[in-house]
Amino acid sequence: MTAPVRVPRNLHPGAWWLWALGLAVAASRTTNPLLLALILAVAAYVVAARRGTAPWALGFRLYLWLGGIIVVSRVLFRVVFGGGQGDTVLFTLPQIPLPEWAAGIRLFGPVAVEQLLGGFYDGLRLATMLICLGAANALANPKRMLRALPGALYEVGAAVVVALSVAPQLVESVLRVRRARRLRGGTGRGMRALRGIVIPVLEEALDRSLALAAAMDSRGYGRRGAVPKGFRLVTGTLVVAGLIGVCVGVYGLLDASTPRYLGLPMLGIGLALAVGGFVLGGRRVVRSVYRPDRWRPAEVAVALCGLTAAAGFHATTRIDAANLYPSLSPLSWPEISVLPAAAVLVAVLPAWLAPPPPADSPVSADAGRAPAVAVAAWEQR
């Protein structure tokens, strides 16, 4: 008996974002490098298994590089500004004397293992959170996410989608221009090769921006009917107050030292106010959606996997918080308990629960010829 064939389709982008936010919340609750490495492995595996070939799917590697830069910069920061607070001194750098008004700040000097590990743990946590969001950006179609936004956030969402699409499209343009140069026999290196790549990429980006502006203008972007001033004031107040409440509630959930009423209660009040503002604002926005994305069992399962990871780490902070934060004084080897490890492993299930992405349609001849035309025009100057 053959296994049923799963039909390739695009998963709802909201499911991928909930999954990624769950992993990011889990990463924010620990500095254990073993758990953070496990979260990175889970995110990278799911991206490798379920990303497509669209431009935004090619940007995950950039997030990995950016995460590495964050880790290195945090470690270097500890070396430059007071890396000697610890018992185990690795080496000593020449210390630069500072004036009296800069008391408490030290440049270079002794470098201790405790401070280096502290910088590495903090940088790895921040890098993991960033890479989790990069995984959502690589898996979720930002244009389909725009269709799922409420009407009150359509214009802001369009601007955010355009901003999120800039970096992946630039990466795709660079790859196409380099491929076009190789096909034309371009072997230059150094600054000459850089000029031959940058100028066609900028020219293609400018053409794409003009086409986007014309398309948005032809579809009436930014035009709206007459809305009473009082209605706009009430809607804006509800939305802003709700978003502030959501930010305070999220901070209360992430910081265990805050009072309890700043956590879930504030988050619930903020969500209620924001939803009320979105509903009121959306009534004034007439917008049709062709074939809207539906939430199916696969979407629910993917979102629950990410939320389970966040819930598992939240429960660990109540049961055994010391397991999530390895001791630096005295130094101790990080350990992994069963609950957070199992919560992270649940987050890898979308690699099988989510349907495979559909194959992209072949690019038209004109679109494929555009980089070569730009390269040829630049080389003839």
Side-chain angles (χ1 to χ4, degrees), residues 291-304:
R291 298 178 64 182
D293 295 323
R294 306 294 183 185
W295 277 79
R296 304 178 186 179
E299 279 80 358
V300 176
V302 170
L304 287 178

Side-chain angles (χ1 to χ4, degrees), residues 139-160:
L139 292 169
N141 188 334
K143 298 177 183 178
R144 301 179 77 91
M145 187 65 183
L146 177 62
R147 297 166 53 182
L149 289 177
L153 291 179
Y154 178 72
E155 295 182 356
V156 177
V160 173

Side-chain angles (χ1 to χ4, degrees), residues 173-192:
S173 297
V174 171
L175 295 177
R176 289 193 309 219
V177 169
R178 292 181 60 185
R179 190 182 307 115
R181 292 186 75 253
R182 287 197 298 267
L183 292 176
R184 294 177 58 85
T187 59
R189 295 183 178 181
M191 293 302 299
R192 181 177 179 81

